[in-house]
Each structure stands twice: as structure tokens, then as C-alpha cells.
């Protein structure tokens, strides 16, 4: 899978970049199977503590199974690249949609209210139904992803224990 990701992103070429943040850069990758995934290439893990936190976070993410939390398909902890492989959600970040007058018009007030409700439900799930509890340390419209059906999926890549 490592080689498929490298090939699908042309070794993480900027033309496949769909976003970036404090902890890494996200790329769109179409795999040979035909599936499209989002690959978050992490900034270099500088020491053993970073690597330990990364593996702890992967463990936590693999336990999350909730409709409004983005699905982690896999990860790679390699000396050359460390990355997370998530389901790809075609509409992108809520912040990007709201930043475009044309796209924002598609989100009428009932849809926006539903997005708020679904974010609250996802946070409640992570806080109350996960063991140990998961605290999301960076809730913002940049970390809310929308699916084509305008259902939201909370991006868990800003979990406080690793992504601060």
C-alpha cells in the first residue's frame, strides 16, 4: 500500500494537495483499485515522543466507528514518510464552502442547523462513548468535512492529544 500511495500522489506532488494544516498536508489519491482516499502526510516526527504519540493516536482513531466521524482506513509509520489514510469526502471543508458565495447558498439555514447538530452529536460520541474519551482540540469550520449529500463528517485530525 505504501508504494501505491507514493505512486498515486507522485511522491506527494503539490498537484494532488487538497489542504494543509499544522500537523501535515492532505493529498487526494486515486488507488489502482479505483478507490479515492485522502492521505494526510505528517510533518516529520522529530523524536520518539512524537512517534509514540502518533501510534497512540492511530490506535484511538481505529476505535472510532461513528457515522459523523471521518473513517481512518490505514496508516504508515515509515522512516521516509508517515501518513494517515482516510475516506475521501468530495465536498471538502465547511470553511471553504462558506467562503464561497455560490457554494454557501446551497447551505440554507435548515442545513446549517443540521450541520451544527451533527457536529454536537459527533463530539458527544467522542467524549462520552469512546473509552478513553477523545477530546477534539480544534473544532472549527476548517475541521468539518461535508459529504456530497451535505452530511457532515467531523475531521478527527485535530485531536488534542496529538494535533495541538
Amino acid at each position: 500500500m505504501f508504494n501505491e500511495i507514493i505512486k498515486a500522489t507522485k511522491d506527494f506532488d503539490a498537484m494532488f494537495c487538497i489542504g494543509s494544516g499544522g500537523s501535515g498536508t492532505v493529498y487526494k489519491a486515486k488507488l489502482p483499485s479505483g478507490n479515492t482516499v485522502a492521505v494526510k502526510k505528517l510533518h516529520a516526527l522529530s523524536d520518539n515522543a512524537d512517534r509514540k504519540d502518533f501510534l497512540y493516536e492511530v490506535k484511538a482513531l481505529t476505535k472510532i466507528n461513528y457515522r459523523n466521524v471521518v473513517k481512518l482506513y490505514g496508516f504508515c509509520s515509515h522512516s521516509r514518510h508517515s501518513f494517515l489514510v482516510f475516506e475521501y469526502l468530495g465536498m471538502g471543508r465547511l470553511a471553504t464552502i462558506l467562503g464561497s458565495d455560490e457554494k454557501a447558498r446551497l447551505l440554507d439555514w435548515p442545513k446549517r442547523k443540521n450541520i451544527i447538530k451533527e457536529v454536537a452529536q459527533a463530539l458527544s460520541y467522542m467524549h462520552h462513548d469512546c473509552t478513553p474519551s477523545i477530546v477534539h482540540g480544534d473544532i472549527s469550520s476548517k475541521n468539518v468535512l461535508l459529504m456530497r449529500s451535505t452530511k457532515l463528517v467531523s475531521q478527527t485530525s485535530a485531536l488534542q492529544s496529538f494535533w495541538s
Side-chain angles (χ1 to χ4, degrees), residues 92-104:
R93 294 176 175 186
L94 178 60
T96 303
I97 294 165
L98 293 175
S100 162
D101 288 341
E102 182 182 333
K103 291 179 181 178

Side-chain angles (χ1 to χ4, degrees), residues 37-126:
V37 296
V39 180
K40 183 169 190 170
K41 180 180 176 262
L42 304 172
H43 299 309
L45 302 179
S46 60
D47 58 25
N48 284 339
D50 286 345
R51 188 149 313 274
K52 183 179 176 184
D53 286 347
F54 167 72
L55 294 174
Y56 176 81
E57 197 62 38
V58 167
K59 184 177 178 182
L61 288 170
T62 59
K63 292 182 179 183
I64 296 176
N65 184 21
Y66 189 71
R67 71 184 183 279
N68 292 339
V69 178
V70 69
K71 304 289 184 262
L72 175 71
Y73 291 147
F75 71 96
C76 173
S77 179
H78 190 275
S79 59
R80 187 169 157 213
H81 301 293
S82 291
F83 54 81
L84 302 167
V85 181
F86 291 99
E87 71 181 305
Y88 175 73
L89 302 172
M91 286 190 67
R93 294 176 175 186
L94 178 60
T96 303
I97 294 165
L98 293 175
S100 162
D101 288 341
E102 182 182 333
K103 291 179 181 178
R105 281 190 207 104
L106 299 174
L107 292 180
D108 57 19
W109 287 110
K111 287 179 184 168
R112 292 177 190 208
K113 180 180 170 185
N114 192 51
I115 289 169
I116 293 167
K117 184 174 102 180
E118 290 183 11
V119 167
Q121 289 170 344
L123 289 172
S124 177
Y125 168 79
M126 290 190 295

Side-chain angles (χ1 to χ4, degrees), residues 137-155:
D138 187 20
I139 293 297
S140 74
S141 58
K142 292 179 183 176
N143 291 326
V144 175
L145 305 173
L146 295 179
M147 300 172 75
R148 295 235 177 259
S149 65
T150 67
K151 274 195 74 130
L152 82 98
V153 178
S154 176
Q155 181 181 359

